[in-house]
mmCIF file of all heavy atoms in Angstrom:
data_model
loop_
_atom_site.group_PDB
_atom_site.id
_atom_site.type_symbol
_atom_site.label_atom_id
_atom_site.label_comp_id
_atom_site.label_asym_id
_atom_site.label_seq_id
_atom_site.Cartn_x
_atom_site.Cartn_y
_atom_site.Cartn_z
ATOM 1 N N GLY G 77 -6.530 3.926 0.573
ATOM 2 C CA GLY G 77 -7.771 3.225 0.888
ATOM 3 C C GLY G 77 -8.462 3.747 2.135
ATOM 4 O O GLY G 77 -9.633 3.472 2.356
ATOM 5 N N GLN G 78 -7.736 4.479 2.973
ATOM 6 C CA GLN G 78 -8.374 5.079 4.150
ATOM 7 C C GLN G 78 -9.260 6.221 3.708
ATOM 8 O O GLN G 78 -8.896 7.004 2.854
ATOM 9 C CB GLN G 78 -7.326 5.621 5.117
ATOM 10 C CG GLN G 78 -6.838 4.650 6.141
ATOM 11 C CD GLN G 78 -5.917 5.336 7.125
ATOM 12 O OE1 GLN G 78 -4.823 5.743 6.762
ATOM 13 N NE2 GLN G 78 -6.367 5.458 8.350
ATOM 14 N N LYS G 79 -10.449 6.327 4.305
ATOM 15 C CA LYS G 79 -11.365 7.400 3.934
ATOM 16 C C LYS G 79 -11.188 8.642 4.793
ATOM 17 O O LYS G 79 -11.555 9.725 4.367
ATOM 18 C CB LYS G 79 -12.806 6.901 4.024
ATOM 19 C CG LYS G 79 -13.106 5.808 3.014
ATOM 20 C CD LYS G 79 -14.557 5.457 3.003
ATOM 21 C CE LYS G 79 -14.788 4.309 2.061
ATOM 22 N NZ LYS G 79 -15.690 4.603 1.019
ATOM 23 N N PHE G 80 -10.616 8.478 5.981
ATOM 24 C CA PHE G 80 -10.416 9.600 6.891
ATOM 25 C C PHE G 80 -9.057 9.492 7.561
ATOM 26 O O PHE G 80 -8.535 8.398 7.749
ATOM 27 C CB PHE G 80 -11.499 9.640 7.972
ATOM 28 C CG PHE G 80 -12.884 9.814 7.429
ATOM 29 C CD1 PHE G 80 -13.705 8.731 7.219
ATOM 30 C CD2 PHE G 80 -13.353 11.071 7.104
ATOM 31 C CE1 PHE G 80 -14.976 8.886 6.694
ATOM 32 C CE2 PHE G 80 -14.621 11.249 6.584
ATOM 33 C CZ PHE G 80 -15.430 10.156 6.378
ATOM 34 N N CYS G 81 -8.473 10.619 7.928
ATOM 35 C CA CYS G 81 -7.201 10.653 8.655
ATOM 36 C C CYS G 81 -7.447 10.127 10.068
ATOM 37 O O CYS G 81 -8.394 10.525 10.735
ATOM 38 C CB CYS G 81 -6.673 12.081 8.693
ATOM 39 S SG CYS G 81 -5.228 12.297 9.753
ATOM 40 N N SER G 82 -6.565 9.247 10.540
ATOM 41 C CA SER G 82 -6.742 8.692 11.883
ATOM 42 C C SER G 82 -6.360 9.682 12.977
ATOM 43 O O SER G 82 -6.707 9.492 14.136
ATOM 44 C CB SER G 82 -5.920 7.414 12.029
ATOM 45 O OG SER G 82 -4.549 7.707 11.799
ATOM 46 N N ASN G 83 -5.665 10.745 12.620
ATOM 47 C CA ASN G 83 -5.246 11.737 13.612
ATOM 48 C C ASN G 83 -6.272 12.848 13.797
ATOM 49 O O ASN G 83 -6.655 13.178 14.919
ATOM 50 C CB ASN G 83 -3.887 12.333 13.213
ATOM 51 C CG ASN G 83 -3.315 13.247 14.264
ATOM 52 O OD1 ASN G 83 -3.395 12.955 15.450
ATOM 53 N ND2 ASN G 83 -2.765 14.349 13.829
ATOM 54 N N CYS G 84 -6.735 13.449 12.687
ATOM 55 C CA CYS G 84 -7.614 14.614 12.817
ATOM 56 C C CYS G 84 -9.027 14.387 12.266
ATOM 57 O O CYS G 84 -9.910 15.208 12.482
ATOM 58 C CB CYS G 84 -6.990 15.820 12.112
ATOM 59 S SG CYS G 84 -6.907 15.656 10.319
ATOM 60 N N GLY G 85 -9.260 13.308 11.515
ATOM 61 C CA GLY G 85 -10.593 13.030 10.997
ATOM 62 C C GLY G 85 -10.895 13.670 9.660
ATOM 63 O O GLY G 85 -12.003 13.548 9.154
ATOM 64 N N GLN G 86 -9.923 14.359 9.054
ATOM 65 C CA GLN G 86 -10.110 14.996 7.751
ATOM 66 C C GLN G 86 -10.397 13.938 6.695
ATOM 67 O O GLN G 86 -9.770 12.884 6.655
ATOM 68 C CB GLN G 86 -8.849 15.781 7.379
ATOM 69 C CG GLN G 86 -8.830 16.348 5.992
ATOM 70 C CD GLN G 86 -9.726 17.549 5.836
ATOM 71 O OE1 GLN G 86 -9.967 18.272 6.777
ATOM 72 N NE2 GLN G 86 -10.220 17.761 4.654
ATOM 73 N N SER G 87 -11.346 14.202 5.815
ATOM 74 C CA SER G 87 -11.647 13.291 4.713
ATOM 75 C C SER G 87 -10.475 13.236 3.744
ATOM 76 O O SER G 87 -9.847 14.251 3.450
ATOM 77 C CB SER G 87 -12.900 13.766 3.978
ATOM 78 O OG SER G 87 -13.122 12.982 2.835
ATOM 79 N N THR G 88 -10.145 12.048 3.263
ATOM 80 C CA THR G 88 -9.048 11.922 2.310
ATOM 81 C C THR G 88 -9.534 12.065 0.881
ATOM 82 O O THR G 88 -8.724 12.124 -0.031
ATOM 83 C CB THR G 88 -8.336 10.568 2.467
ATOM 84 O OG1 THR G 88 -9.284 9.523 2.267
ATOM 85 C CG2 THR G 88 -7.699 10.450 3.835
ATOM 86 N N ASP G 89 -10.840 12.112 0.680
ATOM 87 C CA ASP G 89 -11.408 12.283 -0.650
ATOM 88 C C ASP G 89 -11.373 13.758 -1.012
ATOM 89 O O ASP G 89 -12.133 14.551 -0.496
ATOM 90 C CB ASP G 89 -12.844 11.766 -0.689
ATOM 91 C CG ASP G 89 -13.477 11.906 -2.049
ATOM 92 O OD1 ASP G 89 -12.736 11.854 -3.056
ATOM 93 O OD2 ASP G 89 -14.699 12.080 -2.113
ATOM 94 N N THR G 90 -10.464 14.137 -1.875
ATOM 95 C CA THR G 90 -10.348 15.533 -2.276
ATOM 96 C C THR G 90 -10.790 15.679 -3.721
ATOM 97 O O THR G 90 -10.672 14.756 -4.525
ATOM 98 C CB THR G 90 -8.898 16.034 -2.137
ATOM 99 O OG1 THR G 90 -8.065 15.222 -2.935
ATOM 100 C CG2 THR G 90 -8.456 15.983 -0.691
ATOM 101 N N HIS G 91 -11.309 16.812 -4.063
ATOM 102 C CA HIS G 91 -11.733 17.078 -5.427
ATOM 103 C C HIS G 91 -11.466 18.544 -5.746
ATOM 104 O O HIS G 91 -11.337 19.371 -4.850
ATOM 105 C CB HIS G 91 -13.211 16.743 -5.622
ATOM 106 C CG HIS G 91 -14.124 17.512 -4.727
ATOM 107 N ND1 HIS G 91 -14.342 17.147 -3.415
ATOM 108 C CD2 HIS G 91 -14.834 18.641 -4.921
ATOM 109 C CE1 HIS G 91 -15.169 18.017 -2.858
ATOM 110 N NE2 HIS G 91 -15.481 18.938 -3.743
ATOM 111 N N ARG G 92 -11.385 18.825 -7.021
ATOM 112 C CA ARG G 92 -11.158 20.204 -7.446
ATOM 113 C C ARG G 92 -12.467 20.974 -7.390
ATOM 114 O O ARG G 92 -13.537 20.434 -7.674
ATOM 115 C CB ARG G 92 -10.612 20.228 -8.862
ATOM 116 C CG ARG G 92 -9.224 19.641 -8.960
ATOM 117 C CD ARG G 92 -8.699 19.713 -10.369
ATOM 118 N NE ARG G 92 -8.571 21.064 -10.847
ATOM 119 C CZ ARG G 92 -7.481 21.809 -10.721
ATOM 120 N NH1 ARG G 92 -6.436 21.312 -10.094
ATOM 121 N NH2 ARG G 92 -7.433 23.030 -11.197
ATOM 122 N N LEU G 93 -12.373 22.229 -7.022
ATOM 123 C CA LEU G 93 -13.544 23.089 -7.046
ATOM 124 C C LEU G 93 -13.839 23.482 -8.486
ATOM 125 O O LEU G 93 -12.943 23.782 -9.253
ATOM 126 C CB LEU G 93 -13.314 24.349 -6.223
ATOM 127 C CG LEU G 93 -13.256 24.183 -4.721
ATOM 128 C CD1 LEU G 93 -12.942 25.518 -4.057
ATOM 129 C CD2 LEU G 93 -14.558 23.642 -4.187
ATOM 130 N N ASN G 94 -15.099 23.461 -8.841
ATOM 131 C CA ASN G 94 -15.510 23.935 -10.159
ATOM 132 C C ASN G 94 -16.719 24.843 -9.974
ATOM 133 O O ASN G 94 -17.257 24.990 -8.885
ATOM 134 C CB ASN G 94 -15.798 22.779 -11.109
ATOM 135 C CG ASN G 94 -16.853 21.835 -10.581
ATOM 136 O OD1 ASN G 94 -17.689 22.222 -9.785
ATOM 137 N ND2 ASN G 94 -16.806 20.587 -11.012
#
Side-chain angles (χ1 to χ4, degrees):
Q78 271 186 292
K79 295 187 184 239
F80 299 96
C81 172
S82 59
N83 186 41
C84 68
Q86 173 74 28
S87 174
T88 59
D89 180 30
T90 58
H91 59 279
R92 293 181 62 90
L93 289 177
N94 57 26

